[in-house]
Amino acid sequence: MTDPLILIDTRGDGERRTRLITLNRPKQLNALNDALMDQLGAALQAADDDAGIGCIVITGSEKAFAAGADISAMQSHTYMHVYKTNFITRNWETIRRVRKPVIAAVAGFALGGGCELAMMCDMLIAAENAKFGQPEIKIGIIPGAGGTQRLPRAVGKAKAMDLVLTGRMMDAQEAERAGLVSRLVPLEKLMDEALAAADLICALSGPSVMMAKECVNRAFEGSLADGVDYERRVFHSLFATADQKEGMAAFLEKRPPKFSQS
Ligand code: HXC
């Protein structure tokens, strides 16, 4: 039997729990091939559909989150093959449809498609040994899973150009200074930190968490004026939820809220 390409676990002990997905091609530094991305897409969709799940964490090994798309699988691809099979869009983009928060817990290499996968997540928690980069330029291609768009939005044009045009890696400290990483922690604390953040999110009101994610994504994807209008509509709609009534009542009554997820 071959090893599964991803490992799926459920963590936490609250009413809603965390789905932990571990990329599992350690010998290939978690190089991302189509079979793995199909499985990751299915696992993400299943977690999103499961009412008992409040947050998703994606991680790799201590040596590599993922060292990129699988170069050995891509090397012989032709233009017609990638166009007709809708390469990348077909399975990598599933993550864009996930409505629950996704946290990337990154140790070691996050390169090429690995860096792009981490950037598709909503929060990026990195271990001190993490290394980020878009080295595609060194093998005759460019980032093709959103890297040329998400990296400049995350770190600004100057540093994005530097990374994309030279293919150099940046260490975790530089990535945190640049704003790519939300938290930087010692390697041995990485999973505790990511799962604790996920636990916190699981205990919140799911609908407001999903709407908050949608609004922040608008900031990333559209204009400021459209984003603010969109945020206001969603903000108004939250006053139709039971959890808004309960959350505010609990605050005023100085007690913990009991969210009904509705
Ligand atoms: C296929 C890979 C791989 C990859 C590593 N391996 N990265 N296989 N695709 N992206 C394999 C190696 O071939 C090797 O296999 C094994 O993993 C261990 O790697 P080593 O190179 O021996 O390890 P090390 O010396 O520690 O160097 C680590 C490294 C290096 C710096 C991360 O492996 C590297 O530069 N990898 C390629 C990074 C890259 O260019 N990524 C972008 C890919 S393109 P064997 O069998 O020899 O043991 C891309 C496109 C994105 O991501 C756009 C569409 C998604």
Side-chain angles (χ1 to χ4, degrees), residues 25-33 37 63-64 66-74 87-88 92 109-117 120 131 133-139 141-147 167 169:
R25 292 185 81 203
K27 287 200 192 89
Q28 294 83 13
L29 303 183
N30 289 329
L32 304 166
N33 62 17
M37 293 312 290
K63 179 148 192 224
D70 190 322
I71 300 169
S72 59
M74 278 187 300
F87 183 46
I88 305 300
W92 288 59
F109 299 110
L111 302 177
C115 187
E116 292 172 300
L117 174 61
M120 287 182 194
K131 283 189 166 34
Q134 298 291 163
E136 290 91 339
I137 205 78
K138 296 204 260 185
I139 54 169
I141 55 170
I142 64 169
M169 286 186 222

Side-chain angles (χ1 to χ4, degrees), residues 17-172:
R17 303 170 71 197
T18 298
R19 181 59 44 83
L20 174 63
I21 303 174
T22 305
L23 309 176
N24 188 42
R25 292 185 81 203
K27 287 200 192 89
Q28 294 83 13
L29 303 183
N30 289 329
L32 304 166
N33 62 17
D34 251 346
L36 189 155
M37 293 312 290
D38 283 345
Q39 290 180 26
L40 178 62
L44 287 168
Q45 196 60 61
D48 212 29
D49 293 342
D50 184 339
I53 298 295
C55 191
I56 302 162
V57 174
I58 303 179
T59 195
S61 70
E62 291 193 354
K63 179 148 192 224
F65 178 73
D70 190 322
I71 300 169
S72 59
M74 278 187 300
Q75 197 265 335
S76 60
H77 282 357
T78 63
Y79 173 65
M80 268 304 113
H81 173 79
V82 293
Y83 179 73
K84 285 183 178 168
T85 60
N86 214 7
F87 183 46
I88 305 300
T89 311
R90 187 180 67 76
N91 45 11
W92 288 59
E93 301 263 320
T94 307
I95 194 166
R96 289 180 64 193
R97 292 192 292 276
V98 172
R99 300 173 77 201
K100 291 172 184 167
V102 184
I103 298 174
V106 176
F109 299 110
L111 302 177
C115 187
E116 292 172 300
L117 174 61
M119 288 193 290
M120 287 182 194
C121 297
D122 303 308
M123 278 170 67
L124 203 168
I125 301 182
E128 280 163 353
N129 76 338
K131 283 189 166 34
F132 298 88
Q134 298 291 163
E136 290 91 339
I137 205 78
K138 296 204 260 185
I139 54 169
I141 55 170
I142 64 169
T148 64
Q149 304 305 301
R150 290 193 181 90
L151 192 60
R153 281 170 168 79
V155 304
K157 177 183 166 186
K159 200 171 281 287
M161 281 290 191
D162 179 353
L163 291 163
V164 170
L165 297 182
T166 68
R168 78 170 173 91
M169 286 186 222
M170 67 175 164
D171 63 24

Side-chain angles (χ1 to χ4, degrees), residues 103-259:
I103 298 174
V106 176
F109 299 110
L111 302 177
C115 187
E116 292 172 300
L117 174 61
M119 288 193 290
M120 287 182 194
C121 297
D122 303 308
M123 278 170 67
L124 203 168
I125 301 182
E128 280 163 353
N129 76 338
K131 283 189 166 34
F132 298 88
Q134 298 291 163
E136 290 91 339
I137 205 78
K138 296 204 260 185
I139 54 169
I141 55 170
I142 64 169
T148 64
Q149 304 305 301
R150 290 193 181 90
L151 192 60
R153 281 170 168 79
V155 304
K157 177 183 166 186
K159 200 171 281 287
M161 281 290 191
D162 179 353
L163 291 163
V164 170
L165 297 182
T166 68
R168 78 170 173 91
M169 286 186 222
M170 67 175 164
D171 63 24
Q173 291 70 23
E174 183 180 356
E176 193 203 22
R177 281 197 305 276
L180 183 66
V181 162
S182 56
R183 304 184 198 181
L184 184 56
V185 294
L187 177 58
E188 63 277 11
K189 298 258 168 65
L190 177 66
M191 292 319 295
D192 287 349
E193 186 82 12
L195 291 168
D199 261 358
L200 253 168
I201 291 171
C202 284
L204 299 171
S205 164
S208 63
V209 165
M210 289 199 295
M211 289 188 204
K213 167 171 168 164
E214 239 177 83
C215 286
V216 175
N217 277 335
R218 275 283 165 132
F220 215 56
E221 288 164 9
S223 74
L224 178 61
D226 287 347
V228 172
D229 286 347
Y230 185 79
E231 176 207 78
R232 207 57 35 78
R233 289 280 165 271
V234 174
F235 176 70
H236 288 167
S237 75
L238 280 164
F239 287 82
T241 65
D243 285 346
Q244 175 266 329
K245 297 285 171 297
E246 166 60 14
M248 293 192 183
F251 174 80
L252 295 171
E253 290 160 20
K254 301 190 188 303
R255 61 172 174 82
K258 201 160 170 19
F259 291 124

